[in-house]
Amino acid sequence: VQLQASGGGLVQPGGSLRLSCAASGFTMDYYDMAWFRQAPGKERQVVSCARNIHNSDGTTYYLGSVEGRFTMARDSAKNTMYLQMNSLEPEDTAVYYCATDCNTGPGVTWGQGTQVTVSS
């Protein structure tokens, strides 16, 4: 079971980035999947959480501060999920991680993290 995250970078305020997370060794659609972020000196927080589409309704939830700006999506054929981030703000600067659960804890598989920096 492995997750490979990519797509981070440096962007100006108001700009956009799309993060990708490719899964291998398991079928993503059977899992609740999430994007987390961790800024320097702060705890890791969930940014978006998509319930699995096999035994739940597949609803996606968002952190309040990103609602309306970020969109999480899955591509089942590619076994990949995405986080489209628009109208980025300096407060969005963090390392972003994809994960196989919407909660932290034992048994969760994490991607390696990708740095997002929003700065002028």
Side-chain angles (χ1 to χ4, degrees):
V1 176
Q2 192 172 13
L3 296 173
Q4 181 72 34
S6 62
L10 173 64
V11 63
Q12 292 186 342
S16 298
L17 282 174
R18 189 178 79 156
L19 305 183
S20 299
C21 178
S24 58
F26 71 103
T27 301
M28 190 178 283
D29 285 350
Y30 286 90
Y31 287 76
D32 297 346
M33 298 296 297
W35 287 98
F36 288 77
R37 69 185 181 188
Q38 188 165 19
K42 295 188 177 181
E43 292 187 356
R44 192 170 296 190
Q45 63 178 174
V46 60
V47 174
S48 63
C49 162
R51 298 300 181 189
N52 76 82
I53 61 175
H54 282 272
N55 58 15
S56 75
D57 61 7
T59 301
T60 302
Y61 302 91
Y62 296 94
L63 181 68
S65 61
V66 309
E67 187 92 45
R69 301 189 295 121
F70 290 12
T71 303
M72 182 177 178
R74 300 177 189 244
D75 184 331
S76 299
K78 295 183 178 180
N79 208 27
T80 298
M81 70 178 188
Y82 305 95
L83 185 66
Q84 177 67 44
M85 305 185 295
N86 298 327
S87 302
L88 282 161
E89 303 169 354
E91 294 74 21
D92 297 317
T93 295
V95 178
Y96 284 71
Y97 300 88
C98 51
T100 57
D101 202 302
C102 298
N103 299 295
T104 60
V108 178
T109 297
W110 296 91
Q112 83 281 16
T114 184
Q115 177 70 48
V116 172
T117 302
V118 185
S119 175
S120 56

